[in-house]
Amino acid sequence: MNYQILLSTFKEKFEQEANRLFFAPGRINLIGEHTDYNGGNCFPCSITLGTYGLARKRTDDLIRMYSLNFPDIGIVEFTLDDLSYHKEHDWANYPKGMIRFIKEAGYPIDSGMDVIYCGDIPNRAGLSSSASIEMVTGVMIEGLFEFTMNRLDMVKLGKKVENDFIGVNSGIMDQFAIGMGKKGFGILLDSLTLEYAYAPIDLSNHSILIMNTNKSRELADSKYNERRSECKSALLQLQDAIIIQSLGEMTEEEFEAAKHVIKDETVRRRAKHAVYENRRTLSALDALKNGDLKTFGELMNQSHISLRDDYEVTGIELDTLVETAWKQKGLIGARMTGAGFGGCAIAVVEKEEVDNFIHAVRSTYQQQIGYQATIYAASIGDGAKEVALDEISIK
Ligand code: GLA
């Protein structure tokens, strides 16, 4: 992050110096995809890429926001007494929704603010840039107005912004990983109970690579909502036959015994993914705890196959990346990550083979898809937090 540009843009746009800086990461999900709205487990971690929010409180009730990622939109202005959704406010609806819901929850936000945002997570790449801007806004409001919010409550408000303000019916995984992340750890999250456990990610001589298809996730939100309703329909049909609250409660055997009550073949495959993926996630955690990277990698691969064939959220770009990755020397496992429909995949690769791996996957992708994929190593960093300004001014 170029902090000097952040600081000088603040001064240029708002004719004052900023006095507080906040950060929220993006996330990758190691395994457990499309399980977090099915009462299942997921296993995400926060990464070192993320969104910065540089801010200063105002004395009136004006809120001014500018993003270095969307210079064409210019400064977005609104006041504390009108925190409603405005299409033309574009990206700024995410932080606006967050301010609105924190205020509505009764926290004391008694003045406006000026904020410059800057993120180094690629937009719409499936690394949760939207949850990142929500959560950086959450910690910013908490810091500027000097109150402490239970972190899980902040995570839930972030989800509420997606669901009720933006209109995407997403689960809680992204805001959770970003709000609760810890350097060097993955988080096993049970989306039904919200119980969670940190698990150290020790891959010894292996790296996690992020492979961006550079295909923007068009129509992703409507297809995402469609998958959600397919799973809901499967659950309703299963509930006629057995007593369950969510697909995440079922074992593979229980599902196989009951699946005939789901009439539509497509809906049955969607439910199968949710059930099997949930169980795979628990097995993957066991494998990791036992230092069994080989099994962990195989489960990642199976996860991708299930997302490709049963859940149908991959597409030619993600499949090309992942299937090419599978053929490379030093590969432990590879799968798409996040919602799918474009966006990113991840691969666990032996460190010694990383350069060859990147070269081979990029050139096959370029040949088959016609444009470049971006591939780089991911580091697992901390969750949303304030950054001391004097720490960065010397960098
Ligand atoms: C998106 C959603 C998450 C989760 C994933 C798929 O990232 O925001 O809640 O459902 O897709 O696992």
Side-chain angles (χ1 to χ4, degrees), residues 336-347:
M336 57 151 270
T337 193
F341 315 105
C344 288
I346 52 169

Side-chain angles (χ1 to χ4, degrees), residues 20 50 66 105 134 160 168 174 183 227 230 238 244 259 299 308 311-312 333 361:
R20 306 284 287 271
Y66 179 82
E134 287 151 14
K160 191 170 152 72
V168 181
D174 302 347
K183 189 173 177 189
R227 292 296 176 279
E230 287 165 337
L238 286 165
I244 48 165
K259 68 179 185 191
L299 291 161
R308 181 190 68 190
Y311 219 62
E312 296 183 277
V361 175

Side-chain angles (χ1 to χ4, degrees), residues 157-218:
L157 290 183
K159 175 178 183 289
K160 191 170 152 72
V161 172
E162 293 287 341
N163 299 167
D164 301 346
F165 203 72
I166 305 294
V168 181
N169 225 348
S170 53
I172 201 162
M173 171 174 79
D174 302 347
Q175 290 81 9
F176 195 96
I178 290 169
M180 309 290 283
K182 207 152 102 172
K183 189 173 177 189
F185 289 83
I187 318 176
L188 182 82
L189 169 66
D190 178 336
S191 66
L192 191 65
T193 58
L194 295 189
E195 275 170 28
Y196 61 96
Y198 289 100
I201 306 293
D202 177 10
L203 301 174
S204 61
N205 55 336
H206 298 83
S207 300
I208 304 176
L209 302 182
I210 294 178
M211 310 190 284
N212 189 344
T213 59
N214 288 325
K215 177 186 185 239
S216 88
R217 301 175 49 246
E218 294 125 33

Side-chain angles (χ1 to χ4, degrees), residues 352-381:
E352 268 190 7
E353 294 295 334
V354 162
D355 289 346
N356 291 337
F357 176 95
I358 294 181
H359 181 75
V361 175
R362 285 186 62 197
S363 79
T364 305
Y365 188 81
Q366 167 80 50
Q367 252 167 36
Q368 295 191 5
I369 302 296
Y371 53 85
Q372 287 204 341
T374 317
I375 308 181
Y376 46 88
S379 315
I380 304 180

Side-chain angles (χ1 to χ4, degrees), residues 155-369:
V155 163
K156 287 180 185 164
L157 290 183
K159 175 178 183 289
K160 191 170 152 72
V161 172
E162 293 287 341
N163 299 167
D164 301 346
F165 203 72
I166 305 294
V168 181
N169 225 348
S170 53
I172 201 162
M173 171 174 79
D174 302 347
Q175 290 81 9
F176 195 96
I178 290 169
M180 309 290 283
K182 207 152 102 172
K183 189 173 177 189
F185 289 83
I187 318 176
L188 182 82
L189 169 66
D190 178 336
S191 66
L192 191 65
T193 58
L194 295 189
E195 275 170 28
Y196 61 96
Y198 289 100
I201 306 293
D202 177 10
L203 301 174
S204 61
N205 55 336
H206 298 83
S207 300
I208 304 176
L209 302 182
I210 294 178
M211 310 190 284
N212 189 344
T213 59
N214 288 325
K215 177 186 185 239
S216 88
R217 301 175 49 246
E218 294 125 33
L219 289 181
D221 296 347
S222 62
K223 287 190 191 151
Y224 183 94
N225 287 347
E226 184 184 289
R227 292 296 176 279
R228 254 198 104 130
S229 47
E230 287 165 337
C231 287
K232 195 168 171 202
S233 151
L235 178 64
L236 287 173
Q237 293 176 67
L238 286 165
Q239 283 171 332
D240 283 341
I242 50 175
I243 301 170
I244 48 165
Q245 271 187 69
S246 71
L247 297 176
E249 279 163 49
M250 300 184 89
T251 62
E252 296 94 328
E253 295 74 24
E254 284 162 350
F255 177 75
E256 292 303 327
K259 68 179 185 191
H260 60 276
V261 304
I262 306 172
K263 289 186 196 71
D264 184 87
E265 190 268 336
T266 305
V267 172
R268 205 180 306 136
R269 278 190 288 119
R270 306 295 191 241
K272 177 179 176 207
H273 167 78
V275 172
Y276 279 66
E277 178 76 355
N278 179 40
R279 308 298 292 181
R280 261 194 293 274
T281 305
L282 297 173
S283 309
L285 185 74
D286 284 345
L288 203 63
K289 280 187 181 155
N290 297 330
D292 182 358
L293 264 191
K294 189 168 174 285
T295 303
F296 185 79
E298 278 160 12
L299 291 161
M300 287 177 76
N301 299 347
Q302 284 170 23
S303 165
H304 186 85
I305 292 170
S306 175
L307 289 155
R308 181 190 68 190
D309 299 344
D310 288 335
Y311 219 62
E312 296 183 277
V313 291
T314 56
I316 179 80
E317 297 83 3
L318 280 168
D319 290 339
T320 303
L321 272 185
V322 169
E323 288 164 21
T324 310
W326 287 342
K327 293 184 193 137
Q328 306 307 317
K329 201 168 158 216
L331 188 272
I332 294 292
R335 58 182 292 277
M336 57 151 270
T337 193
F341 315 105
C344 288
I346 52 169
V348 176
V349 182
E350 232 174 80
K351 280 191 178 143
E352 268 190 7
E353 294 295 334
V354 162
D355 289 346
N356 291 337
F357 176 95
I358 294 181
H359 181 75
V361 175
R362 285 186 62 197
S363 79
T364 305
Y365 188 81
Q366 167 80 50
Q367 252 167 36
Q368 295 191 5
I369 302 296

